[in-house]
Amino acid sequence: MDIGVLLPTGAAQWGPDDDPRDLVALGRRAERAGFSSLFVNDTLIGPRVEALTMLAALAPATDAVTLGTAALLPHLRRPVQTAQALASLDLLSGGRLAVAVGAGFPGRFGQPLYALSEVPWERRFARLDETVALWRTLWGGGGSFHGEFLRFADVPPMTRPFRPGGPPVWLGGATPAALARTGRTYDGWLPYPPDPADYATGLRAVRAAAAGAGRAAGDVTPALFVSVRIDDGPDADPGDGRRAMDAYARATYGMPLEDLEKVQAVVTGSADRVRERLEEYVAAGARHVVARLGALDLRSQRDQLERLADLLPAVRAAGVP
């Protein structure tokens, strides 16, 4: 049972006096506190530290945590150069990289990014799958690739990843098509369903697709992306956590919390309430939880990190058969 955190690489999660260079120290602090992974997200919307740059800074500063993307958007980058960069990160981290990918979705965080990257929005899912297939070919030593969208002949040898075949690649998304594609070809599943029951249903579909492709259930890591805010103590107002998470939702997505909760997993409240809700997802099958901390400055991020760290033993125990 792995539990990690999403580092706040976007300026919307920094206070006016925060230094983004302190993100590396926050990552080290999370590792010392017992978290098993550090993830970063990826977009061109708003000022932020670029995802792969952040992971490159964390690689020599940490020892054992998984370093991951949640989720990397391959359409923002040239595919061969991205394969080289990811192989280099896997090598420099000693095989600690996990690459969750996504194709984006309609609206502010989707179509404009394709336009900025000069990549067609149409058939984005097929293009995503083909990009991942290209990466795996290059990581395995293949020098050519001939697909529908991407065609390369005689690619010079590139950096070999630490692990043969390269880092595991996970897929975000929970549509029926995404579940089937995850089971057939990806190494992990990183959705964010608001209801644990939907997680369980989706995971069954992923495993059925995996079995249909001749794969074992253990070939696909069942992960979960969830936003967390803990507000506890004798003087805590039950509404404080929701107000803080509402401010986070508006700053990050430009939408109120009540709208965000309809599309993403969000857990707020006392430590007991957060623990119980996370355990519901564990009972539904999640085995790698990536928690985004609902705070808008690095001091508050550190506070939330410590609060969540106190729950690690109980949530991990819930994942032991």
Side-chain angles (χ1 to χ4, degrees):
M1 183 72 221
D2 291 310
I3 304 172
V5 292
L6 183 84
L7 293 180
T9 56
Q13 289 84 52
W14 306 336
D17 298 323
D18 284 338
D19 186 339
R21 291 174 293 183
D22 289 337
L23 291 171
V24 174
L26 182 62
R28 289 198 298 264
R29 187 170 187 156
E31 183 173 41
R32 291 194 302 270
F35 290 91
S36 50
S37 61
L38 302 172
F39 276 74
V40 297
N41 59 14
D42 186 33
T43 182
L44 293 177
I45 301 296
R48 66 179 52 247
V49 179
E50 193 273 329
L52 301 187
T53 304
M54 187 74 247
L55 295 184
L58 289 166
T62 55
D63 297 314
V65 286
T66 295
L67 303 175
T69 59
L72 191 73
L73 302 175
H75 59 271
L76 302 184
R77 299 167 174 82
R78 298 291 185 182
V80 173
Q81 286 86 341
T82 305
Q84 172 84 330
L86 294 172
S88 299
L89 275 170
D90 193 59
L91 180 64
L92 293 173
S93 65
R96 293 188 284 132
L97 183 63
V99 186
V101 298
F105 45 88
R108 176 186 173 210
F109 297 98
Q111 286 155 296
L113 303 186
Y114 277 79
L116 288 170
S117 302
E118 300 179 317
V119 176
W121 172 254
E122 294 74 24
R123 307 210 56 217
R124 59 194 182 278
F125 301 114
R127 186 181 294 273
L128 172 65
D129 291 347
E130 190 169 294
T131 299
V132 173
L134 167 68
W135 292 348
R136 288 170 167 164
T137 296
L138 297 176
W139 293 337
S144 63
F145 184 88
H146 301 282
E148 178 184 354
F149 308 101
L150 305 171
R151 300 178 183 87
F152 299 98
D154 301 322
V155 179
M158 65 166 49
T159 300
R160 290 294 188 93
F162 184 87
R163 287 165 289 187
V169 184
W170 302 356
L171 184 65
T175 65
L179 299 176
R181 289 160 53 226
T182 300
R184 287 195 305 265
T185 62
Y186 283 84
D187 304 306
W189 182 46
L190 184 64
Y192 42 76
D195 189 337
D198 290 334
Y199 186 93
T201 300
L203 183 56
R204 285 194 294 270
V206 167
R207 288 176 170 166
R215 307 177 73 200
D219 291 341
V220 183
T221 298
L224 169 74
F225 184 85
V226 56
S227 297
V228 174
R229 170 83 190 194
I230 301 173
D231 285 274
D232 222 340
D235 300 322
D237 181 335
D240 286 347
R242 290 194 58 81
R243 283 189 287 271
M245 188 62 89
D246 180 73
Y248 185 93
R250 292 175 187 274
T252 303
Y253 288 104
M255 67 172 67
L257 176 59
E258 61 181 348
D259 291 342
L260 183 65
E261 289 176 313
K262 295 174 184 176
V263 296
Q264 289 192 12
V266 180
V267 183
T268 64
S270 68
D272 285 343
R273 166 60 181 157
V274 169
R275 174 186 54 77
E276 291 168 358
R277 190 62 169 171
L278 292 179
E279 287 175 353
E280 290 179 20
Y281 281 103
V282 174
R287 289 299 179 269
H288 194 137
V289 174
V290 179
R292 176 170 59 183
L293 306 174
L296 291 176
D297 61 73
L298 295 186
R299 181 192 61 79
S300 299
Q301 287 274 337
R302 289 189 290 270
D303 175 67
Q304 287 295 313
L305 182 78
E306 300 299 334
R307 290 171 183 254
L308 184 56
D310 290 339
L311 304 185
L312 293 182
V315 177
R316 284 195 172 117
V320 177

